Amino acid sequence: YNNNDYKYLTSVESTTEYETESLLEGTHDFYVVAYQYRYSNYRSEPSNIVSVESVYERPEITIYTGCDFAHIIWDKIEGATAYQVYSKDINSSDEFVLTQTQKFGNATTIEDLEIGKTYAFYVVAINGEASSQPSEIVQVTIPEQTLNPIENLNVEQIKYNEVKLTWDKVDGATAY
């Protein structure tokens, strides 16, 4: 800091301590104290500088994959207002790119991934300009999925112009 390049927080009287709960996670804050002499306009020089680093927890992530997607779940971090998800194709020389910013919840699905490719992901918790350390980088390979055909397809003619089809349920199917 240069001469008096400080932000005024508050004035306290008749005490030699000050507490605040206004720390932003992920920031490094510096403090000095000066005193006012007997209600005059005279102020002392600032005290020595003290600092505190307020660090977010690092998000822990779990990833589930499907035939063209990765579903990413992370631990909620107290104080975080959003989460940024970064990804990259590990066979490319490209850097990680911000894939998505999630403002609500602690999960997201990244779709349209290529089967057989390996991707790496990490998550960062944010609050304004402050951010956590990145989560561990997790790599997943998008699996090839062999989908078995429907079994026991049956047809029943109800009327001359109406039929009913029935078949066995397939686990994981979302539509037929």
Side-chain angles (χ1 to χ4, degrees):
Y1 291 108
N2 296 325
N3 299 334
N4 296 326
D5 188 16
Y6 308 102
K7 176 182 173 189
Y8 176 78
L9 294 177
T10 190
S11 176
V12 294
E13 293 185 20
S14 303
T15 185
T16 57
E17 61 184 51
Y18 168 74
E19 289 184 23
T20 181
E21 293 183 13
S22 63
L23 292 179
L24 281 178
E25 293 283 347
T27 61
H28 198 124
D29 296 324
F30 298 88
Y31 297 91
V32 296
V33 175
Y35 66 89
Q36 181 177 354
Y37 186 70
R38 299 188 184 204
Y39 303 103
S40 68
N41 289 330
Y42 297 108
R43 293 197 191 281
S44 71
E45 290 294 315
S47 67
N48 58 301
I49 298 173
V50 294
S51 66
V52 63
E53 187 171 7
S54 179
V55 180
Y56 274 126
E57 297 174 43
R58 171 185 265 193
E60 296 290 326
I61 66 173
T62 304
I63 302 178
Y64 300 97
T65 59
C67 57
D68 69 345
F69 68 88
H71 185 68
I72 306 165
I73 303 169
W74 56 86
D75 296 335
K76 288 185 178 179
I77 302 298
E78 184 178 340
T81 57
Y83 299 90
Q84 294 176 329
V85 179
Y86 293 83
S87 67
K88 76 172 267 169
D89 172 353
I90 66 155
N91 294 320
S92 131
S93 61
D94 295 339
E95 297 293 318
F96 277 90
V97 295
L98 176 60
T99 305
Q100 190 175 86
T101 298
Q102 186 74 21
K103 291 188 179 188
F104 302 101
N106 62 322
T108 191
T109 300
I110 308 299
E111 298 178 321
D112 300 323
L113 300 175
E114 290 186 43
I115 293 171
K117 279 196 172 184
T118 301
Y119 295 89
F121 297 92
Y122 70 86
V123 174
V124 174
I126 59 172
N127 181 331
E129 296 295 318
S131 63
S132 71
Q133 293 293 316
S135 68
E136 293 292 327
I137 295 172
V138 176
Q139 292 185 14
V140 294
T141 300
I142 305 305
E144 288 195 39
Q145 300 262 333
T146 304
L147 301 178
N148 296 323
I150 289 179
E151 295 182 2
N152 297 320
L153 177 60
N154 297 298
V155 63
E156 177 184 341
Q157 188 167 0
I158 298 172
K159 295 181 184 173
Y160 74 94
N161 65 345
E162 187 177 336
V163 295
K164 177 181 178 183
L165 299 175
T166 60
W167 55 87
D168 289 348
K169 180 180 178 179
V170 177
D171 286 338
T174 56
Y176 295 99

